[in-house]
Amino acid sequence: MDDLFAHKGTPRWTQTLAPGAVVLRGFAAESAPALMQMIDQLTRVAPFRQMTTPGGFVMSAAMSNCGSLGWVTDVQGYRYARHDPLTGLPWPAMPLLFAQLAQQAAYEAGFPDFVADACLMNRYAVGSRMSLHQDKNERDFSQPIVSVSLGLPAIFQFGGMQRSDAVQRIPLTQGDVLVWGGPSRLRFHGVQAIKAGTEDYRFNLTFRKAG
Ligand code: MD3
Ligand code: FE
């Protein structure tokens, strides 16, 4: 069911994928250049790096974080940490632009109380992908996740509650924002290999209440 509405000049539409799972098409389109510049600044302090899964695989997406908690993985497991293991420094603070965008998107999707304390920044080069997984390292699954797509387009895989469930393939372009909560919070999801295009990378910001 698509719901079309105009908002301060920029037309946007919300697309409901499943109960609690909403795509806000173009929600961050106007903010995209400022968001990309902010990613550039933040990753001078906390550089993008390819982390290793507990199973010993190097992830194909490069990652960094901002906010009071950052998602990390190494041979010891997946977790949230206050400090960047690469530099030993606290993760850089979450810019107001990020925090406000996440809060506004969650509000539009029906989660008025969302306050993110963690922002995972993913950078996908051409050919990078993310295999099907669940996000379950957070404490409170009643809080949604907000994700912002920037740069090269992607095909997002939206699965069910079991790994073996069928996946829907959802194209995402710069400025699209996804909000996942309620009964969709623990769905399996992934990103297909990024195809070459007019930019070098796809970036994704994933906002969570982790602590
Ligand atoms: C659906 N990142 O970092 S964000 C991740 O585009 C991650 O970089 C992807 O999955 C990316 O963990 C997708 C969208 C997303 C995030 C959490 C979800 C979709 C979700 C949780 C449940 C269902
Ligand atoms: Fe995920």
Side-chain angles (χ1 to χ4, degrees):
M1 163 97 83
D2 285 18
D3 163 29
L4 187 69
F5 56 95
H7 183 87
K8 290 187 180 165
T10 307
R12 300 192 310 229
W13 57 99
T14 66
Q15 190 180 356
T16 302
L17 300 179
V22 170
V23 188
L24 306 172
R25 296 284 181 192
F27 188 84
E30 288 172 352
S31 311
L35 293 169
M36 301 264 254
Q37 195 181 22
M38 206 57 91
I39 293 169
D40 189 65
Q41 280 185 37
L42 291 163
T43 55
R44 281 180 224 169
V45 179
F48 278 119
R49 84 294 306 265
Q50 286 174 273
M51 296 195 259
T52 302
T53 68
F57 295 98
V58 176
M59 296 187 77
S60 74
M63 297 179 168
S64 184
N65 292 276
C66 65
S68 57
L69 289 168
W71 187 84
V72 296
T73 175
D74 58 23
V75 288
Q76 293 174 51
Y78 303 124
R79 63 196 176 275
Y80 283 92
R82 301 212 162 260
H83 293 83
D84 179 350
L86 196 65
T87 63
L89 297 170
W91 297 106
M94 193 182 300
L96 196 59
L97 175 70
F98 281 26
Q100 286 179 341
L101 181 74
Q103 208 272 319
Q104 284 164 9
Y107 181 90
E108 295 233 2
F111 299 95
D113 305 320
F114 182 61
V115 180
D117 58 12
C119 174
L120 174 64
M121 299 179 279
N122 292 331
R123 186 185 70 187
Y124 296 80
V126 172
S128 295
R129 56 192 285 277
M130 192 174 286
S131 53
L132 222 53
H133 67 279
Q134 292 171 296
D135 288 17
K136 52 182 185 185
N137 300 127
E138 302 74 28
R139 283 174 196 278
D140 181 0
F141 297 145
S142 74
Q143 290 292 324
I145 292 180
V146 174
S147 124
V148 180
S149 289
L150 299 164
L152 286 172
I155 297 175
F156 178 70
Q157 297 173 316
F158 179 62
M161 298 301 289
Q162 320 257 251
R163 187 179 293 278
S164 56
D165 289 346
V167 298
Q168 286 182 65
R169 288 177 175 77
I170 316 288
L172 293 177
T173 60
Q174 165 147 298
D176 289 344
V177 177
L178 294 79
V179 183
W180 315 88
S184 287
R185 176 64 180 73
L186 289 172
R187 279 183 185 256
F188 279 87
H189 58 280
V191 179
Q192 290 184 199
I194 301 297
K195 296 200 167 142
T198 55
E199 278 152 285
D200 291 336
Y201 296 110
R202 169 175 186 260
F203 296 94
N204 180 264
L205 303 175
T206 303
F207 294 94
R208 305 184 175 112
K209 168 129 180 47

